Amino acid sequence: MAKQHDAFVAALVGHAQLGSVTKIDARTLGRHSHDQSYHAAKPPIAVVQVRSEEHVAALVRLANIHNVPIVSFAAGSSLEGQTLAPATGAVVADFSEMDRVVAVHAEDLDCVVEPGVGWSELREHLKPSGVFFPPDPGAAACIGGMCGTNCSGTLAFKYGTMKDNVLSLRVVMADGSIIKTRNRAVKSSAGYDLTRLFVGSEGTLGIITQATLRLRRLPTHSNIAIAQFPSLADSASAVQRLVHSGAPFMRLELIDDVCIDAVNNEIESPALKFARLTTILAECAGISESDVTEQIDAFKLACSSAATSISIATTQQESDRLWSLRKRAFFMAPSLRHHEVGKEFATIVTDVAVPISRLVDILVATRKLIANARLVAPIVAHAGDGNFHCLIVVDKNDADEFQRAKHFRDQMARLALDMQGTCTGEHGIGIGKQHLLEEELGPGAIQVMRKIKKALDPKNILNPGKVVGSGAFGLSAALSLQKRGHSVTVFDRLPIPAQDAASTDISKVIRPDYADQALYQKLALASIEKFKHEWNPDAKRRFGKELYIECGTVYATKDTGMNDFERASIATLKSSGVETKILNKDDITAIYGSGFGNEYQGGYLNPRAGYADSGLTMQYLAQIASESGVKFLTGPQAGTFVDLIKNGSGATIGITTSDRNRHYADLVLVAAGSWTPSLLPQLQGLCEVTAQPVIHIKIPDNLKHKFDASKYPVWFADVSKTGFYGFPISPTTGELKFANHGPGFTSSFHVDTRPGKTGGNVGERKKWLTNVTPTDIPKEAVSKYRKFLKSAFPELNKFDITRTRLCWYCESWDGNFYIDAVPGAQNVFVATGGSGHGFKFVPKLGDVIADIVEGKPTEFKDLFKWRTKPDDVKFGDEMRATMSDRPSNLDIQELSTLTDLKAKL
């Protein structure tokens, strides 16, 4: 448990009303750590089994004082993660014991219930009165969660969704006050429709403690009709005819042929199995036999032209058997893969809806998407209102399949949006669809929602969000935290991926060579594996090219011997199963030419290394983060950090941005690359911002083949002495990139120490965009590059430098990252200090950051913990060239001109 929550839990346990109903034992916390969704389990810090509205109000007031998030929980049947606690800590309000039916007004066709009442139990309770409550989602669902998600079910075609069946609510607001949204009258024009504001808000605006529900008379007669069709398109066309017939069917459902297979798996008798055809089921009901007959006739008329068979139940037993097709669909979907022994399956449920005129189009298109994604996904539909689900059966341990499933889910949702539909018909947004909400409604509507949220929950304690800075550290952390159930917003002054970030260059080295630093090597090798086996295949599908190229790296030395770094790297790599190759002068010359071979006469090749298209990688990372639900606020106003928001006790509760908006959160992670020291004065003396000069040379077409990655590994030219390294030719730009890992350049230092300020410009950067013109790098750097090229690559020295760039890094004093809570800044974490090598870990770095933020055991915690710098230790790491003790001040440098970049022949 995080220390900041100790006081809250102590207050709960000692509370006169809440102490006896507060549970903090592992079993209770574990039971409330998951729901029915595929999202990772997250134990809360405490569970309060509320038994009255007074309990709820007292809990909210206490949580408000301590800035602790609250998540409501009853049955835990959510399919989108709405009941999951944020991993940084939340208290769960368990409503399972607030399950009273307070009153039934059969004469008025309404009832009053508490949120923990299950709809199926309510239906049984109401039967003697001859009335029922129509919404019928998953069997375990309770009224509170049903209100939160605006659920519906199979009866929505006739009776509407939850919003159409809730008359009034009692709600505890974020400050502990209690409101009633309206009285019991069926219609009212009194003020704003607050009832519908809270229905569908998923617990983010207030906590429902009582609901007045609209009831309907039970039909006295009913029957089940089914029709089977040769194709999905035929059945969907029949649904459109059924809807347009005007017949008041009570239910109108569709099940595809794959789903029929699943249901048949539990039917033992061959005679009772259903034909493997797409099937429509209709419940025909009314207050007389003639009502039912009219609906059956309409059903036959609409289906007869295309159906292969039509059946009408003649007994209750037969009705039950026919309806079992729909009732058993979800539970039997995994049986489609039970022949795959040794695998553990989960079901990801999609949930889109379209106008009924587009039902044929989207069902046909969805079937093609399923095939292209190589997924097992039967289709079931509340066809009468255009809402349908794919029950995607995935292997929990197959990361690639999980990614394909989530990518398919988003493709399917975007299909619906293109058809003027919705990304969720009844399950809600939750964790997994936040990125799709803005696509559906647009930024204007989202901004209105945010303003409502801020007005009603100013401290953001009701299902709160997290705020994360940007950069390679920030995006990887955002993705991992979002996948673990956090609600993440990324802020950046520039569009994501930020153009001025060092990580958005055209190429970055991916290497596991770290001398005897085994943890870095382990992280690098794990990242390489994820690049190769997860990100590369996915990127190839998205962009037509891979992100990571395993061309190898060559560490070349001035003589035939090895330095300490290289010898240690070879030994540590070997212990991890990576075999390197020792190179002599002839080997070096064969690869890089005689100039390089004469200068560097020995070294080694590591085949398990290479480079990544870093700009495309960051674009990919931003894309999959968005698809996972990460929200982005960018631009000089909305995305620019100004200050931390603190409460009366000094704890950080959010940030303000340049547009004067206040963004509340229960955790702020500053991961803004080289801008990080400007935001956190605590980093003064521990990190400094330096700029490393980079040049690019355009290669003529007739020479490009010599520098292709298939024969030209990334090279390091005795880098601890010279600092120079380079890459194969970029297939995108046709350029060779040369870089330097030396002291670099820095700008002036200034710290704003005025009270209330965050520190001003520590290691102030020179420009927002470092590649605005070709003259950004100092003339001194151009001169050193030309001198190096003249000796090592004389054949390239005759070409102009076509592009330059200053890559800005946040350098830590010892070359290790800072990933930890910031001392003296409650609820603020930092992830920085990349020293130019953070990018290579980007596929796995986010998981490390998330583990540390969540307080999970990790072998990296000590390596990246907050630490002080001894006075007698210089900045630097083992691979940094020692050309000077300190970086040169960029302010006093003469910048190069276009003439300086021309070749000197």
Side-chain angles (χ1 to χ4, degrees), residues 431-462:
I431 294 172
K433 292 186 177 178
Q434 293 173 12
H435 59 298
L436 294 167
L437 182 62
E438 185 160 355
E439 291 183 35
E440 179 169 335
L441 301 179
I446 298 301
Q447 188 62 24
V448 171
M449 291 183 188
R450 287 180 178 141
K451 289 179 179 178
I452 294 171
K453 169 71 170 171
K454 288 177 185 177
L456 299 185
D457 180 19
K459 287 190 175 182
N460 198 32
I461 65 170
L462 303 175

mmCIF file of all heavy atoms in Angstrom, residues 431-462:
data_model
loop_
_atom_site.group_PDB
_atom_site.id
_atom_site.type_symbol
_atom_site.label_atom_id
_atom_site.label_comp_id
_atom_site.label_asym_id
_atom_site.label_seq_id
_atom_site.Cartn_x
_atom_site.Cartn_y
_atom_site.Cartn_z
ATOM 1 N N ILE A 431 -12.480 1.229 -19.761
ATOM 2 C CA ILE A 431 -11.048 1.441 -19.979
ATOM 3 C C ILE A 431 -10.682 1.348 -21.449
ATOM 4 O O ILE A 431 -9.891 2.125 -21.971
ATOM 5 C CB ILE A 431 -10.235 0.396 -19.182
ATOM 6 C CG1 ILE A 431 -10.426 0.619 -17.684
ATOM 7 C CG2 ILE A 431 -8.759 0.449 -19.545
ATOM 8 C CD1 ILE A 431 -9.819 -0.474 -16.833
ATOM 9 N N GLY A 432 -11.263 0.390 -22.147
ATOM 10 C CA GLY A 432 -10.759 0.011 -23.464
ATOM 11 C C GLY A 432 -11.215 0.844 -24.643
ATOM 12 O O GLY A 432 -10.679 0.700 -25.741
ATOM 13 N N LYS A 433 -12.204 1.736 -24.466
ATOM 14 C CA LYS A 433 -12.742 2.439 -25.627
ATOM 15 C C LYS A 433 -12.661 3.959 -25.513
ATOM 16 O O LYS A 433 -13.323 4.684 -26.249
ATOM 17 C CB LYS A 433 -14.208 2.033 -25.849
ATOM 18 C CG LYS A 433 -14.379 0.588 -26.280
ATOM 19 C CD LYS A 433 -15.814 0.273 -26.619
ATOM 20 C CE LYS A 433 -15.961 -1.160 -27.125
ATOM 21 N NZ LYS A 433 -17.360 -1.492 -27.422
ATOM 22 N N GLN A 434 -11.827 4.444 -24.617
ATOM 23 C CA GLN A 434 -11.758 5.888 -24.418
ATOM 24 C C GLN A 434 -11.271 6.603 -25.670
ATOM 25 O O GLN A 434 -11.722 7.706 -25.982
ATOM 26 C CB GLN A 434 -10.858 6.195 -23.228
ATOM 27 C CG GLN A 434 -11.445 5.715 -21.910
ATOM 28 C CD GLN A 434 -10.491 5.874 -20.747
ATOM 29 O OE1 GLN A 434 -9.471 6.539 -20.865
ATOM 30 N NE2 GLN A 434 -10.814 5.264 -19.628
ATOM 31 N N HIS A 435 -10.348 5.976 -26.399
ATOM 32 C CA HIS A 435 -9.842 6.614 -27.612
ATOM 33 C C HIS A 435 -10.912 6.686 -28.699
ATOM 34 O O HIS A 435 -10.885 7.564 -29.559
ATOM 35 C CB HIS A 435 -8.619 5.862 -28.126
ATOM 36 C CG HIS A 435 -8.876 4.420 -28.444
ATOM 37 N ND1 HIS A 435 -9.274 3.498 -27.497
ATOM 38 C CD2 HIS A 435 -8.795 3.721 -29.614
ATOM 39 C CE1 HIS A 435 -9.405 2.307 -28.065
ATOM 40 N NE2 HIS A 435 -9.128 2.433 -29.342
ATOM 41 N N LEU A 436 -11.856 5.739 -28.660
ATOM 42 C CA LEU A 436 -12.900 5.716 -29.677
ATOM 43 C C LEU A 436 -14.005 6.735 -29.380
ATOM 44 O O LEU A 436 -14.706 7.168 -30.296
ATOM 45 C CB LEU A 436 -13.508 4.309 -29.759
ATOM 46 C CG LEU A 436 -12.558 3.217 -30.254
ATOM 47 C CD1 LEU A 436 -13.143 1.843 -29.993
ATOM 48 C CD2 LEU A 436 -12.245 3.391 -31.737
ATOM 49 N N LEU A 437 -14.160 7.105 -28.116
ATOM 50 C CA LEU A 437 -15.208 8.059 -27.755
ATOM 51 C C LEU A 437 -15.005 9.387 -28.460
ATOM 52 O O LEU A 437 -15.950 9.973 -29.004
ATOM 53 C CB LEU A 437 -15.219 8.249 -26.235
ATOM 54 C CG LEU A 437 -16.292 9.196 -25.686
ATOM 55 C CD1 LEU A 437 -17.683 8.683 -26.001
ATOM 56 C CD2 LEU A 437 -16.116 9.375 -24.184
ATOM 57 N N GLU A 438 -13.746 9.886 -28.461
ATOM 58 C CA GLU A 438 -13.486 11.157 -29.129
ATOM 59 C C GLU A 438 -13.662 11.034 -30.629
ATOM 60 O O GLU A 438 -14.136 11.966 -31.288
ATOM 61 C CB GLU A 438 -12.090 11.674 -28.792
ATOM 62 C CG GLU A 438 -11.811 13.043 -29.369
ATOM 63 C CD GLU A 438 -10.670 13.759 -28.675
ATOM 64 O OE1 GLU A 438 -10.139 13.236 -27.668
ATOM 65 O OE2 GLU A 438 -10.311 14.845 -29.137
ATOM 66 N N GLU A 439 -13.292 9.888 -31.199
ATOM 67 C CA GLU A 439 -13.503 9.690 -32.632
ATOM 68 C C GLU A 439 -14.995 9.734 -32.967
ATOM 69 O O GLU A 439 -15.388 10.216 -34.030
ATOM 70 C CB GLU A 439 -12.901 8.349 -33.070
ATOM 71 C CG GLU A 439 -11.390 8.305 -33.022
ATOM 72 C CD GLU A 439 -10.837 6.989 -33.541
ATOM 73 O OE1 GLU A 439 -11.431 6.437 -34.480
ATOM 74 O OE2 GLU A 439 -9.822 6.502 -33.001
ATOM 75 N N GLU A 440 -15.817 9.221 -32.062
ATOM 76 C CA GLU A 440 -17.255 9.173 -32.320
ATOM 77 C C GLU A 440 -17.907 10.541 -32.175
ATOM 78 O O GLU A 440 -18.728 10.939 -33.000
ATOM 79 C CB GLU A 440 -17.920 8.189 -31.372
ATOM 80 C CG GLU A 440 -19.434 8.091 -31.554
ATOM 81 C CD GLU A 440 -20.049 6.926 -30.807
ATOM 82 O OE1 GLU A 440 -19.338 5.939 -30.540
ATOM 83 O OE2 GLU A 440 -21.256 6.994 -30.504
ATOM 84 N N LEU A 441 -17.554 11.285 -31.120
ATOM 85 C CA LEU A 441 -18.273 12.507 -30.789
ATOM 86 C C LEU A 441 -17.538 13.777 -31.173
ATOM 87 O O LEU A 441 -18.147 14.844 -31.262
ATOM 88 C CB LEU A 441 -18.575 12.530 -29.287
ATOM 89 C CG LEU A 441 -19.416 11.361 -28.763
ATOM 90 C CD1 LEU A 441 -19.628 11.498 -27.274
ATOM 91 C CD2 LEU A 441 -20.747 11.291 -29.494
ATOM 92 N N GLY A 442 -16.210 13.689 -31.345
ATOM 93 C CA GLY A 442 -15.428 14.871 -31.692
ATOM 94 C C GLY A 442 -14.939 15.612 -30.465
ATOM 95 O O GLY A 442 -15.493 15.476 -29.366
ATOM 96 N N PRO A 443 -13.889 16.428 -30.630
ATOM 97 C CA PRO A 443 -13.268 17.108 -29.488
ATOM 98 C C PRO A 443 -14.198 18.087 -28.783
ATOM 99 O O PRO A 443 -14.085 18.308 -27.581
ATOM 100 C CB PRO A 443 -12.059 17.812 -30.104
ATOM 101 C CG PRO A 443 -12.370 17.917 -31.565
ATOM 102 C CD PRO A 443 -13.192 16.716 -31.895
ATOM 103 N N GLY A 444 -15.134 18.686 -29.511
ATOM 104 C CA GLY A 444 -16.041 19.645 -28.886
ATOM 105 C C GLY A 444 -16.904 18.993 -27.819
ATOM 106 O O GLY A 444 -17.035 19.506 -26.695
ATOM 107 N N ALA A 445 -17.496 17.852 -28.166
ATOM 108 C CA ALA A 445 -18.340 17.139 -27.205
ATOM 109 C C ALA A 445 -17.526 16.632 -26.026
ATOM 110 O O ALA A 445 -17.980 16.677 -24.872
ATOM 111 C CB ALA A 445 -19.050 15.978 -27.899
ATOM 112 N N ILE A 446 -16.316 16.162 -26.303
ATOM 113 C CA ILE A 446 -15.454 15.672 -25.219
ATOM 114 C C ILE A 446 -15.116 16.807 -24.263
ATOM 115 O O ILE A 446 -15.087 16.628 -23.038
ATOM 116 C CB ILE A 446 -14.167 15.041 -25.787
ATOM 117 C CG1 ILE A 446 -14.516 13.832 -26.671
ATOM 118 C CG2 ILE A 446 -13.231 14.626 -24.664
ATOM 119 C CD1 ILE A 446 -15.273 12.734 -25.973
ATOM 120 N N GLN A 447 -14.853 17.986 -24.810
ATOM 121 C CA GLN A 447 -14.531 19.130 -23.957
ATOM 122 C C GLN A 447 -15.714 19.485 -23.058
ATOM 123 O O GLN A 447 -15.532 19.835 -21.887
ATOM 124 C CB GLN A 447 -14.117 20.324 -24.816
ATOM 125 C CG GLN A 447 -13.568 21.504 -24.027
ATOM 126 C CD GLN A 447 -12.306 21.156 -23.256
ATOM 127 O OE1 GLN A 447 -11.584 20.236 -23.599
ATOM 128 N NE2 GLN A 447 -12.045 21.891 -22.186
ATOM 129 N N VAL A 448 -16.933 19.404 -23.592
ATOM 130 C CA VAL A 448 -18.124 19.656 -22.767
ATOM 131 C C VAL A 448 -18.207 18.631 -21.635
ATOM 132 O O VAL A 448 -18.482 18.984 -20.478
ATOM 133 C CB VAL A 448 -19.399 19.626 -23.629
ATOM 134 C CG1 VAL A 448 -20.647 19.661 -22.742
ATOM 135 C CG2 VAL A 448 -19.424 20.798 -24.591
ATOM 136 N N MET A 449 -17.955 17.369 -21.965
ATOM 137 C CA MET A 449 -17.972 16.331 -20.935
ATOM 138 C C MET A 449 -16.932 16.613 -19.852
ATOM 139 O O MET A 449 -17.188 16.431 -18.658
ATOM 140 C CB MET A 449 -17.722 14.955 -21.567
ATOM 141 C CG MET A 449 -18.830 14.453 -22.447
ATOM 142 S SD MET A 449 -18.454 12.782 -23.066
ATOM 143 C CE MET A 449 -19.784 12.568 -24.230
ATOM 144 N N ARG A 450 -15.752 17.050 -20.271
ATOM 145 C CA ARG A 450 -14.692 17.342 -19.295
ATOM 146 C C ARG A 450 -15.101 18.500 -18.377
ATOM 147 O O ARG A 450 -14.805 18.487 -17.174
ATOM 148 C CB ARG A 450 -13.387 17.666 -20.021
ATOM 149 C CG ARG A 450 -12.736 16.420 -20.642
ATOM 150 C CD ARG A 450 -11.453 16.762 -21.364
ATOM 151 N NE ARG A 450 -10.839 15.551 -21.905
ATOM 152 C CZ ARG A 450 -10.243 15.473 -23.090
ATOM 153 N NH1 ARG A 450 -10.157 16.549 -23.858
ATOM 154 N NH2 ARG A 450 -9.724 14.350 -23.505
ATOM 155 N N LYS A 451 -15.763 19.483 -18.940
ATOM 156 C CA LYS A 451 -16.205 20.605 -18.119
ATOM 157 C C LYS A 451 -17.259 20.172 -17.119
ATOM 158 O O LYS A 451 -17.271 20.630 -15.962
ATOM 159 C CB LYS A 451 -16.728 21.727 -19.025
ATOM 160 C CG LYS A 451 -15.634 22.434 -19.814
ATOM 161 C CD LYS A 451 -16.202 23.521 -20.720
ATOM 162 C CE LYS A 451 -15.088 24.221 -21.486
ATOM 163 N NZ LYS A 451 -15.624 25.257 -22.406
ATOM 164 N N ILE A 452 -18.161 19.294 -17.537
ATOM 165 C CA ILE A 452 -19.159 18.761 -16.609
ATOM 166 C C ILE A 452 -18.473 17.972 -15.505
ATOM 167 O O ILE A 452 -18.788 18.119 -14.314
ATOM 168 C CB ILE A 452 -20.180 17.872 -17.364
ATOM 169 C CG1 ILE A 452 -21.012 18.709 -18.326
ATOM 170 C CG2 ILE A 452 -21.090 17.134 -16.379
ATOM 171 C CD1 ILE A 452 -21.887 17.888 -19.266
ATOM 172 N N LYS A 453 -17.507 17.144 -15.901
ATOM 173 C CA LYS A 453 -16.760 16.345 -14.921
ATOM 174 C C LYS A 453 -16.053 17.260 -13.911
ATOM 175 O O LYS A 453 -16.104 17.015 -12.700
ATOM 176 C CB LYS A 453 -15.747 15.470 -15.659
ATOM 177 C CG LYS A 453 -14.705 14.775 -14.786
ATOM 178 C CD LYS A 453 -15.291 13.655 -13.963
ATOM 179 C CE LYS A 453 -14.175 12.833 -13.313
ATOM 180 N NZ LYS A 453 -14.706 11.871 -12.337
ATOM 181 N N LYS A 454 -15.404 18.296 -14.389
ATOM 182 C CA LYS A 454 -14.686 19.197 -13.484
ATOM 183 C C LYS A 454 -15.639 19.922 -12.543
ATOM 184 O O LYS A 454 -15.323 20.180 -11.383
ATOM 185 C CB LYS A 454 -13.875 20.219 -14.292
ATOM 186 C CG LYS A 454 -12.662 19.635 -14.979
ATOM 187 C CD LYS A 454 -11.964 20.686 -15.818
ATOM 188 C CE LYS A 454 -10.820 20.077 -16.602
ATOM 189 N NZ LYS A 454 -10.169 21.068 -17.493
ATOM 190 N N ALA A 455 -16.820 20.268 -13.057
ATOM 191 C CA ALA A 455 -17.789 20.983 -12.238
ATOM 192 C C ALA A 455 -18.339 20.099 -11.119
ATOM 193 O O ALA A 455 -18.517 20.553 -9.985
ATOM 194 C CB ALA A 455 -18.927 21.508 -13.109
ATOM 195 N N LEU A 456 -18.606 18.839 -11.426
ATOM 196 C CA LEU A 456 -19.234 17.945 -10.445
ATOM 197 C C LEU A 456 -18.228 17.183 -9.595
ATOM 198 O O LEU A 456 -18.559 16.746 -8.487
ATOM 199 C CB LEU A 456 -20.150 16.951 -11.173
ATOM 200 C CG LEU A 456 -21.317 17.561 -11.957
ATOM 201 C CD1 LEU A 456 -22.205 16.467 -12.524
ATOM 202 C CD2 LEU A 456 -22.131 18.513 -11.090
ATOM 203 N N ASP A 457 -17.008 17.003 -10.118
ATOM 204 C CA ASP A 457 -15.995 16.231 -9.381
ATOM 205 C C ASP A 457 -14.655 16.961 -9.503
ATOM 206 O O ASP A 457 -13.733 16.498 -10.161
ATOM 207 C CB ASP A 457 -15.901 14.815 -9.968
ATOM 208 C CG ASP A 457 -14.882 13.932 -9.265
ATOM 209 O OD1 ASP A 457 -14.495 14.262 -8.121
ATOM 210 O OD2 ASP A 457 -14.461 12.920 -9.850
ATOM 211 N N PRO A 458 -14.531 18.133 -8.864
ATOM 212 C CA PRO A 458 -13.335 18.971 -9.081
ATOM 213 C C PRO A 458 -12.031 18.323 -8.662
ATOM 214 O O PRO A 458 -10.977 18.656 -9.197
ATOM 215 C CB PRO A 458 -13.632 20.222 -8.229
ATOM 216 C CG PRO A 458 -14.677 19.804 -7.254
ATOM 217 C CD PRO A 458 -15.503 18.767 -7.958
ATOM 218 N N LYS A 459 -12.068 17.382 -7.715
ATOM 219 C CA LYS A 459 -10.835 16.708 -7.299
ATOM 220 C C LYS A 459 -10.609 15.410 -8.072
ATOM 221 O O LYS A 459 -9.633 14.704 -7.840
ATOM 222 C CB LYS A 459 -10.870 16.411 -5.798
ATOM 223 C CG LYS A 459 -10.681 17.637 -4.923
ATOM 224 C CD LYS A 459 -10.481 17.224 -3.479
ATOM 225 C CE LYS A 459 -10.169 18.399 -2.599
ATOM 226 N NZ LYS A 459 -9.928 17.979 -1.185
ATOM 227 N N ASN A 460 -11.525 15.068 -8.965
ATOM 228 C CA ASN A 460 -11.359 13.886 -9.821
ATOM 229 C C ASN A 460 -11.192 12.604 -9.004
ATOM 230 O O ASN A 460 -10.335 11.776 -9.288
ATOM 231 C CB ASN A 460 -10.151 14.080 -10.745
ATOM 232 C CG ASN A 460 -10.184 13.121 -11.933
ATOM 233 O OD1 ASN A 460 -11.251 12.764 -12.418
ATOM 234 N ND2 ASN A 460 -9.016 12.708 -12.382
ATOM 235 N N ILE A 461 -12.037 12.437 -7.962
ATOM 236 C CA ILE A 461 -11.927 11.227 -7.146
ATOM 237 C C ILE A 461 -12.850 10.119 -7.619
ATOM 238 O O ILE A 461 -12.754 8.985 -7.154
ATOM 239 C CB ILE A 461 -12.212 11.515 -5.654
ATOM 240 C CG1 ILE A 461 -13.661 11.961 -5.435
ATOM 241 C CG2 ILE A 461 -11.236 12.533 -5.100
ATOM 242 C CD1 ILE A 461 -14.069 12.021 -3.985
ATOM 243 N N LEU A 462 -13.767 10.418 -8.558
ATOM 244 C CA LEU A 462 -14.701 9.406 -9.029
ATOM 245 C C LEU A 462 -14.185 8.824 -10.339
ATOM 246 O O LEU A 462 -14.214 9.472 -11.378
ATOM 247 C CB LEU A 462 -16.093 10.021 -9.228
ATOM 248 C CG LEU A 462 -16.685 10.686 -7.980
ATOM 249 C CD1 LEU A 462 -18.001 11.362 -8.318
ATOM 250 C CD2 LEU A 462 -16.872 9.664 -6.867
#
